[in-house]
């Protein structure tokens, strides 16, 4: 017994040895919650309070369930295979298999994954002659799953208008189809189990009697149906041991309800609330930053992380002038960490939005640094980006059959397998490309294919003299990709990724030396070669290293080659030491020696969408808390004055979160034009010379001409536009004008001689 408990701290020990009553364990980041859960199970079994078969332990991932069983096996000689430890969906599947008749299911019912579910919905719409543009299959799938996650069948869903009524009707048809085929989707597993236990009292009482001890991991991530399911399983006598952290509730977009923790404490009349606040992961300055930030959230259950590891190093803050400079800074700091003996796999770069990874990936690729995108795909490998690239490939080469097949019916245009079969037969018969074979296809199939060709040729004509970035935008608009993903419930990230393709093209033409106005489909201005590209050396033809390439690619062709190279050749191999890139959401549950949190700007982190939703900013703050607490030894936070997003340069204000961090834990890095919450030095010339070196003389001279009482980086207030930051100043004296970022009111150009501006304190 003592061996089981001897390494626990006082709070962990108190939690593990609680009596058989409802308990809520507030487990802070890095506080050993998995250890507490597994030790609690082992202690209950070892003290004879419950048999292994009387334990019900619920996790949110299969990985967590396997880890729990592995640790239990190491603690005591026990066969974990018969224990009920698993995810909500896994446990519901197990229960439904045992009681399939009572659940009105066939014994061999099958489970639809998300792709299977989407395919079924597409078949259903086609069979019922439903316009899939008006009722997109993926939108209907989200509607159905959302209703089920809230415990609602079709007849329970309130219909507000004709469109909603039709969605409800389709939900009903979908349910009937699933029942006929003997299949269930993921959401159905939980709902069907809940309904079974609700109406079948003997069965419900059987499981309530069996599972006297119910342990729940990551309780803050439960949705309404999961919480109600737990209440049914527990009854009035069950001892629910709920472990979670309301400060790490970051999945509201998936239906998670952070209020379930407070509801549990109230409804179960919890007398035992224990806070695990000792952190075994991070140094003091990192924890102080996290604690101070999250204290700005209201309605917290409340806790304060602490550590015995000492203060450690301060959190490093860096302000870049652009996202490119931010990425380069990450590379330089990473090289320093490696030189000190660190490994790339222990360094993580976190970002709020997937679209941010493009610039970082490009910089890493250019520097030859291997990296791995965790929980997602590299930018140029993402499905939506590959679709857009395929359209561009078709624009570049109309006879590219692979690109043609990828996009001819995406987004859907009513061009099915039979139509493509006719097209391929014609191409084979005349030995021509699919594009060239379209006129040989008759009937409805020919009309649909002809409309696609007309769209491609129209976009090609419209963009034939446009620069590459503008051509990319034309293709995104004409293809319908943007509209398609805008209709998806979780399509915002995909739209951002597509819009970032315009930014990628802008950066590419700049770096590769193509003229800014060079037409995408034509060669660059340097098309005339300066000399022969092929020279003879000892009778062998070799490429002259100083001569231009013998064939000059158009900006579009060059960009497509670049995209292919970035997508493939620099892939980190399995087992290779590689930098870790991921969104903050993907980082939850992980830890690293060094962490970079990038893009801490208003509108990006916190995200602009959070302003529109009740509690949105608080969830963003919890997300930042999660990001901070991933770091063990070193934490870097960066933001940029300008960022290329959606093909346009965006001027940014620093995130409000900086004002919610303790100054004593922060270290503002060079360039020294930003000190004390990134305000400029009193002497801008000295600041620029110090930060940028002797090469900054021209900039410094320009700054000294601005003798007007205002400085770049200064916070101001305007009666109409509110608070803003000066991002640039033109001219001097009485003719000076300032570019000021007023956040939600956007960028304004104001005449400083007449604008009524007030300086903000600080």
């Amino acid at each position: 017994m003592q061996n089981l408990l001897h390494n626990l701290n006082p709070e962990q020990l108190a939690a593990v040895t609680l009596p058989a009553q409802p308990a809520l364990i507030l487990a802070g980041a890095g506080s050993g919650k998995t250890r507490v859960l597994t030790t609690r199970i082992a202690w209950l079994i070892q003290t004879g309070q419950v048999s292994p078969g009387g334990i019900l332990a619920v996790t949110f991932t299969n990985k967590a369930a396997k880890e729990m069983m592995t640790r239990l096996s190491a603690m005591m000689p026990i066969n974990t295979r018969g224990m009920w430890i698993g995810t909500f969906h896994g446990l519901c599947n197990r229960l439904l298999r045992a009681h399939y008749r009572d659940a009105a299911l066939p014994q061999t019912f099958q489970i639809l994954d998300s792709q299977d579910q989407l395919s079924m919905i597409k078949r259903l719409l086609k069979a019922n002659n439903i316009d899939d543009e008006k009722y997109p299959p993926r939108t209907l799938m989200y509607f159905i799953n959302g209703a089920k996650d809230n415990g609602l069948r079709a007849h329970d869903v309130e219909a507000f208008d004709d469109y909603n009524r039709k969605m409800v009707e389709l939900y009903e048809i979908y349910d009937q189809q699933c029942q006929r085929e003997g299949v269930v989707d993921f959401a159905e597993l939980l709902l069907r189990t809940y309904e079974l236990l609700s109406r079948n009292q003997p069965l419900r009482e059987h499981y309530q009697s069996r599972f006297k001890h119910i342990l729940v991991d990551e309780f803050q991530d439960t949705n309404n149906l999961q919480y109600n399911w737990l209440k049914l399983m527990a009854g009035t006598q069950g001892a629910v041991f709920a472990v979670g952290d309301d400060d790490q509730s970051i999945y509201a977009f998936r239906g998670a309800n952070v209020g379930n923790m407070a509801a549990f404490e109230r409804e179960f009349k919890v007398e035992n609330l224990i806070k695990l606040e000792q952190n075994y992961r991070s140094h003091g300055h990192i924890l102080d930053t996290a604690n101070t930030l999250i204290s700005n959230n209201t309605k917290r259950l409340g806790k304060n992380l602490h550590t015995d590891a000492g203060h450690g190093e301060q959190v490093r803050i860096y302000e870049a002038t652009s996202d490119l400079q931010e990425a380069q800074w990450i590379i330089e700091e990473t090289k320093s960490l490696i030189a000190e003996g660190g490994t790339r796999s222990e360094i993580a770069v976190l970002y709020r939005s997937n679209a941010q990874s493009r610039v970082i990936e490009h910089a890493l690729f250019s520097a030859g640094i291997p990296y791995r995108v965790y929980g997602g795909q590299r930018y140029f490998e993402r499905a939506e980006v590959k679709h857009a690239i395929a359209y561009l490939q078709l624009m570049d080469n109309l006879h590219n059959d692979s690109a043609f097949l990828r996009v001819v019916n995406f987004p859907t245009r009513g061009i099915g397998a039979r139509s493509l079969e006719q097209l391929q037969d014609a191409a084979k018969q005349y030995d021509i490309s699919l594009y060239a074979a379209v006129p040989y296809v008759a009937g409805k199939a020919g009309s649909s294919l002809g409309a696609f060709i007309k769209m491609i040729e129209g976009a090609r004509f419209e963009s034939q003299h446009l620069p590459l970035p503008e051509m990319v935008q034309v293709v995104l608009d004409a293809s319908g990709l943007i509209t398609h993903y805008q209709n998806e419930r979780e399509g915002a990230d995909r739209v951002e990724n597509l819009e970032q393709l315009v930014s990628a093209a802008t950066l590419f033409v700049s770096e590769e030396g193509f003229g800014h106005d060079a037409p995408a489909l034509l060669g660059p201005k340097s098309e005339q070669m300066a000399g022969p590209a092929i020279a003879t050396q000892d009778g062998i033809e070799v490429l002259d290293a100083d001569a231009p390439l013998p064939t000059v690619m158009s900006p579009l062709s060059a960009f497509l080659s670049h995209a292919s190279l970035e997508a493939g050749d620099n892939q980190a191999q399995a087992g290779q030491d590689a930098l870790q890139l991921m969104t903050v959401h993907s980082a939850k549950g992980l830890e690293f020696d060094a962490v970079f949190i990038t893009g801490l700007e208003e509108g990006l982190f916190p995200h602009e969408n959070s302003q529109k939703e009740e509690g949105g900013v608080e969830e963003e703050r919890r997300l930042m808390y999660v990001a901070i607490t991933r770091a063990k030894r070193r934490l870097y936070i960066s933001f940029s004055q300008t960022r290329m997003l959606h093909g346009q340069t965006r001027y940014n204000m620093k995130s409000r979160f900086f004002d919610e961090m303790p100054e004593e834990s922060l270290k503002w890095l060079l360039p020294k034009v930003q000190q004390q919450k990134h305000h400029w030095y009193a002497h801008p010339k000295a600041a620029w010379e110090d930060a940028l070196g002797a090469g900054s003389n021209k900039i410094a001279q320009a700054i000294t001409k601005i003798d007007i009482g205002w400085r770049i980086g200064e916070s101001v207030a305007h009666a109409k536009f509110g608070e803003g930051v000066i991002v640039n100043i033109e001219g001097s004296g009485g003719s000076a004008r300032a570019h000021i970022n007023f956040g939600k009111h956007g960028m304004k150009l104001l005449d400083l001689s007449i604008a009524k501006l007030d300086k903000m304190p600080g």
Side-chain angles (χ1 to χ4, degrees), residues 247-268:
D247 291 334
Q248 294 190 72
S249 180
I250 59 174
Y251 295 119
F253 66 95
R254 293 182 188 169
N257 182 1
V258 65
N260 284 347
M261 294 190 76
F264 172 74
E265 183 182 14
R266 181 180 65 254
E267 293 174 11
F268 279 76

Side-chain angles (χ1 to χ4, degrees), residues 63 330 334 337-338 343-351 357 360-361 364 369-376 378 382 571-584 586-587 590-598 630:
K63 179 182 176 183
I330 291 170
T334 296
L337 291 169
I338 300 299
T343 59
R344 294 189 192 98
S345 59
E346 277 296 324
I347 302 172
V349 181
L350 310 184
Y351 34 82
S357 78
I360 300 168
E361 288 187 56
L364 292 170
I369 296 176
Y371 66 91
R372 184 175 292 108
V373 178
Y374 182 93
R378 290 163 172 263
R382 292 166 190 162
Q571 276 281 17
Q573 302 300 313
Q576 183 181 6
D577 187 31
L579 206 65
Q580 308 295 303
L581 271 61
M582 65 196 75
T583 63
V584 181
S586 296
L590 304 177
E591 58 182 46
F592 303 92
D593 279 343
V595 170
F596 292 84
I597 307 174
T598 64
R630 299 311 96 196

Side-chain angles (χ1 to χ4, degrees), residues 99-146:
H99 306 285
Y100 64 91
R101 287 193 188 90
D102 293 320
L105 288 170
Q107 185 173 9
T108 56
F109 73 84
Q110 294 179 339
I111 300 171
L112 301 174
D113 64 20
S114 56
Q115 286 302 314
D116 294 333
Q117 185 184 16
L118 187 61
S119 296
M120 172 178 271
I121 289 173
K122 289 177 179 178
R123 286 191 285 112
L124 180 149
L125 293 175
K126 187 174 182 180
N128 289 274
N129 296 315
I130 303 297
D131 183 355
D132 61 6
E133 291 189 4
K134 185 174 182 181
Y135 300 95
R138 200 174 292 272
T139 301
L140 178 57
M141 183 174 77
Y142 290 139
F143 177 84
I144 292 170
N145 291 344

Side-chain angles (χ1 to χ4, degrees), residues 735-749:
S735 63
R737 299 188 303 171
H739 293 266
I740 305 176
N741 186 350
F742 286 105
K744 65 180 181 180
H745 290 291
M747 188 67 59
K748 305 294 180 185
L749 180 60

Side-chain angles (χ1 to χ4, degrees), residues 16 96-97 345 359 422 455:
V16 166
L96 290 175
R97 295 290 176 189
S345 59
V359 171
Q422 294 177 47
M455 181 271 291

Side-chain angles (χ1 to χ4, degrees), residues 282-286 307 309-316 632-634 664-665:
S282 308
H283 286 161
H285 279 309
I286 295 171
T307 180
H311 286 297
E313 299 181 22
Q314 288 174 298
V315 177
R316 292 163 169 82
K632 293 193 282 189
R633 295 190 307 109
R634 284 186 178 171
E664 60 273 16
S665 292

